[in-house]
Structures are given as structure tokens and as C-alpha cells.
Amino acid sequence: MSWLTLALMTTSSVASLRAAPTMAVYGLACVFLYLLPAVVFLLPTALVSAELASGWEGGVYRWVSEGLSKPLGFLAVWCQFAMTIFYYPSLLAYVASTIAYVVDPSLASNGPYTAIVIVVLYWAGVWVSSRGTKAVAGLSSMGLVIGTLIPGTLLVVLGLVFLGQGNSSAAPMDSAHLFPQWTGLASLVLIVNNFLSYSGMEMNAVHVSSLREPAREFPRAMFTASAMVLAIFILPALAISWVVPSSELSLTAGVMQAFDSFFQYFHIGWLTPVIAVALIAASLGGMLTWLAGPSKGLLMISRQEGYLPPFLQRLNKEGVQQNLLVTQGVVTTVIALAYALIPNVSSAYWIFSVITTQVYLIVYLLMFAAAIRLRRTRPDHPRGYRAPALVPVAVTGLVASAAAMAIGFVPSSQFGSGSVWSYVLIVGGGLVVLGLLIPYLFLRLRKPEWRTPGGAPGGAPGPKQGGTPVPETGGAA
């Protein structure tokens, strides 16, 4: 495999337009808000996971089990699965707002409508996944092109032409606005959500051994991918900020708001439903194809070690973990109802994005800690790639992840005027119950007979492709 191929694979695993409105609110400052987590989180994740993948097959479960303990390995693979419980409602809220621009744009901020769309689309996805169909497998591979590169490029080009014709930007673009306005700890919360935007760099680390010269080519691939990911994240966010005032920007419908404004300005409004359909197709294609991916990784580990009760390990006639998918769907439905109960759809979207980040940060805390311990306790273990200065790099990632988790409990302006304590209780409750209490109970209550004969070890899934969770290739996390 060439280093350029790996760079493109990694870019497609990480990049997405879905987060653009979140940062577009801050105009030119979004550049800083993306660059800082890239330095302290994205690159450490890529380098550390490359060394672990080249030395231990089996993904994050194997890495954490070898470096720390098997129970903590289960916690890591559980959190990879659990984050999708909050991830899918936020993804489908984005889809719902995009569909609204085809039907009725006013629905984009309607909570009950958003909840209904989330529930209907999610259960439709569960039904399709439980059939074991492969008919939509090719859709997600086109996600980067259909749902990211073409719309993203079009958005930036339209924005540049818009400004080139003498129109003023809705957001200030002068040097005084290079950094977000400092409002205390709440300002730092903006950076936290971007940590999850970069999750997925570790997924393709498994391919490090396929490179001709891993020590030289892997860093080149990662730096190239990082530059491409940053361009895909930053430029569309800036384009949105040029045309949609921050006070009017929806966190779920912001992409379509910008397209609609540009299309109306250039008198090509007929393209609004066309671009909406492209974004919807890419998101739904990815969801349908990879819906069962995270649960499959958890299932394989649980059948081997007996972490889940037999009911959740049961497969249907198509060999799909239907009971696990249905159980996940019940919880997702309850979460979706929050969109109908929380007055502001953008506030609900932000809360679920933060909970997703908090749960997934547990995985990275364990991965960085395991990498440090394995380098010190098993320095002679064969590794196809050895990250330079691994311990300082891993410590940087560990400290950044811990700081991000702590700061995530501070509500930002995205939360609106809601109660601070309500925010803390919702985010903290989601983290503790989903990320810690449930896996602890599974470990505490498990029985020897929960092991399934013939249960094979397998890697846990990586987090995203084109903005959606994807199953692991070759067992990396």
C-alpha cells in the first residue's frame, strides 16, 4: 500500500461536514478551534495507535488488555459501542434537518418532527441490518465524495465567489477575531467537541505494516491526512460563517442554511433539494451499512470472554446480533424523545454531541495509558512501527483527553440559557451510567456459562467513516 492511499483512507474515515455549523458560529476563530485539538489529540492518536497496531493485533480490546487488564479492555470496547447510542440520534437529527429543506425548512427547528424522523430512520436501519443485507454496502464508500467532497467544495467555491463580488461576510474576518472571545472555562468547551471530530485516526493504523517503509511513510501519510481533514473541516465552516449570521445558525441545519442562502443569492434555488438529497443519501448510506459494526465488535469479544448475557449474544438466522441491535434501539428511541422535550433542537444536539465525546474519551484515556505501559514493560516486543518519543506523545494525548473530559462538564453558549446544573446532570449522568455503570454491572454479574463455545476474538470497530461509525478492518480499533 502506498502512503498516499493510506492518507486518503484515513481522510475518508474522519472527515465530515456535519460538524461544520458547530464551529461556523465562531467565524475565523474556528481555525484555532480545529488546529489546537489536531496538535494535542489527532497526531498523538495516529502515532500511538500505529505502534500498538503494528505490535498487537485485535484492536483496542487487545491493546488495553495487554497493557492494563482484560476488564479495562472490555470497558474500552464497550465505550466504542456505547458512544453510538448518542451518536446516532445526533447524526439523524442532522439528517432530519436536511430532509426539512426538501419538504418544509421550518421543520428543521421542530423538536417533535426531529424526534419522529430519528425514531423512524433508526428502526428502519435496524430492520435492514437485521436482514443481513449487503445491498447498501457500496453507499458508504461513496460517502466521502457524495456527502463531503462535492458539497464541501461547492460550498467553499460559492462562498469565495460571494465574497469576490463585494459582499461582506456575516462574520468578521479580521485578525482581531483569530481567537474565540474569552468567557472563562465556557470558551474551552468549544474545543472539546472537536476531539470527537478527529476520532477515527486510529482505525487505519492497522495498515501500517502494509507500507513499504513504515517508519518514514506512516508519518507522511498521517500529516497529509491531517492537512486534508483540517481543510475539509475548516473551509466549509468558514464558508457557512460568511453567509449565515451566528445568531441565526442552526447546529443541525447550518449546512443547508448556507447552501440555501447561496443558491437563493445566485438564483439557483432549484439546487437546494438536490444537494439535500446528496447529503441525506450519504448519511443514511453510511448509517445503514455500518449500523451493526460497533455492536459486532462488542459481540465477538463478549462471546469469547462471556461479558454479555446469552440474550444479547444471540444471533438471528442471518447471523446478525439482532437482540443487541434492538436493545440499543430502545435506548436510542428514549434519547430521541429528548428532541421533542428539549425546547431548542440545537441545545439537544449539542448535549448529545458532548455526551458522545465524553464516553468515547474513555477509550482514548485507556489507549494512551496502555501504550505508555507497554513501551515500558515490554520494550522488546516486536513492533513494525515505533512512534518517535512515544511516551511524551502519549502523555500529551492522555492529558489532553483528561482535560477535555473535565471541561466537557462546563456548558458553552451552544447550550443556550438552560440551567447549568441540568446540563451537568445530563452529561454526567450519560457518562456515568452509559460509560461506567453498565459495563461494571456486566463484569460484576457475568457468569462462566455466558461464554459461547467457538466465540472468536475480534477487533472492535473504528468510530467513523464519512461521519458514521465503521467496522474495523483487520482488527484495529
Side-chain angles (χ1 to χ4, degrees), residues 36 73 77 80 95 98 116 197 207 217 265 298 316 378 384 425:
L36 182 58
V77 78
Q80 282 192 319
V95 172
T98 306
I116 291 171
S197 297
H207 299 297
E217 293 184 337
Y265 173 81
L298 176 65
N316 65 10
R378 303 175 69 177
L425 288 174

Side-chain angles (χ1 to χ4, degrees), residues 23 30 50 78 135 170 197 229 257 284 286 289 297 380 393 403-404 470:
M23 289 299 106
C30 75
W78 166 266
S197 297
V229 167
Q257 281 181 305
L284 291 182
T289 304
D380 299 324
V393 168
V470 301

Side-chain angles (χ1 to χ4, degrees), residues 284-296:
L284 291 182
M287 189 199 77
L288 289 174
T289 304
W290 306 114
L291 182 63
S295 57
K296 184 176 181 180

Side-chain angles (χ1 to χ4, degrees), residues 167-202:
N167 296 288
S168 58
S169 169
M173 290 289 124
D174 56 86
S175 58
H177 293 84
L178 280 172
F179 301 98
Q181 184 177 2
W182 178 253
T183 56
L185 280 177
S187 298
L188 298 178
V189 179
L190 305 176
I191 301 172
V192 172
N193 201 48
N194 285 344
F195 276 62
L196 191 65
S197 297
Y198 292 128
S199 62
M201 293 297 286
E202 78 278 8

Side-chain angles (χ1 to χ4, degrees), residues 17 36 41 57 80 113-114 122 140 156 194 424 440 446:
L17 291 180
L36 182 58
F41 180 75
E57 294 183 359
Q80 282 192 319
Y113 157 79
T114 302
Y122 184 86
S140 68
V156 174
N194 285 344
V424 171
Y440 169 77
R446 70 171 175 157

Side-chain angles (χ1 to χ4, degrees), residues 383-416:
R383 295 164 170 85
Y385 171 80
R386 297 181 73 89
L390 178 131
V391 173
V393 168
V395 168
T396 299
L398 184 67
V399 171
S401 299
M405 181 174 285
I407 294 169
F409 286 101
V410 181
S412 77
S413 58
Q414 308 281 21
F415 181 57

Side-chain angles (χ1 to χ4, degrees), residues 220-391:
R220 182 186 298 176
M222 288 302 102
F223 280 113
T224 301
S226 298
M228 294 176 67
V229 167
L230 284 171
I232 291 172
F233 279 146
I234 292 173
L235 296 181
L238 285 174
I240 293 173
S241 73
W242 295 337
V243 71
V244 183
S246 60
S247 60
E248 301 174 13
L249 189 60
S250 164
L251 299 189
T252 55
V255 175
M256 287 310 304
Q257 281 181 305
F259 272 119
D260 190 51
S261 296
F262 282 136
F263 290 159
Q264 295 302 326
Y265 173 81
F266 290 108
H267 306 292
I268 50 175
W270 58 271
L271 276 177
T272 297
V274 174
I275 205 73
V277 170
L279 294 173
I280 292 166
S283 296
L284 291 182
M287 189 199 77
L288 289 174
T289 304
W290 306 114
L291 182 63
S295 57
K296 184 176 181 180
L298 176 65
L299 177 81
M300 295 176 73
I301 295 300
S302 298
R303 287 171 70 86
Q304 178 194 11
E305 300 291 340
Y307 290 130
L308 296 180
F311 173 79
L312 294 179
Q313 294 186 32
R314 197 169 301 151
L315 306 177
N316 65 10
K317 62 181 181 180
E318 302 292 342
V320 176
Q321 58 279 15
Q322 182 171 295
N323 288 0
L324 193 55
L325 286 175
V326 170
T327 303
Q328 180 184 12
V330 171
V331 180
T332 300
T333 299
V334 173
I335 294 171
L337 295 178
Y339 279 91
L341 300 175
I342 296 177
N344 190 318
V345 171
S346 287
S347 292
Y349 177 86
W350 178 260
I351 289 172
F352 293 137
S353 295
V354 172
I355 293 175
T356 301
T357 304
Q358 295 289 72
V359 172
Y360 205 73
L361 281 171
I362 294 175
V363 178
Y364 288 105
L365 288 172
L366 294 171
M367 185 187 80
F368 287 126
I372 294 170
R373 191 163 187 273
L374 285 170
R375 176 63 80 90
R376 289 178 172 172
T377 60
R378 303 175 69 177
D380 299 324
H381 182 86
R383 295 164 170 85
Y385 171 80
R386 297 181 73 89
L390 178 131
V391 173

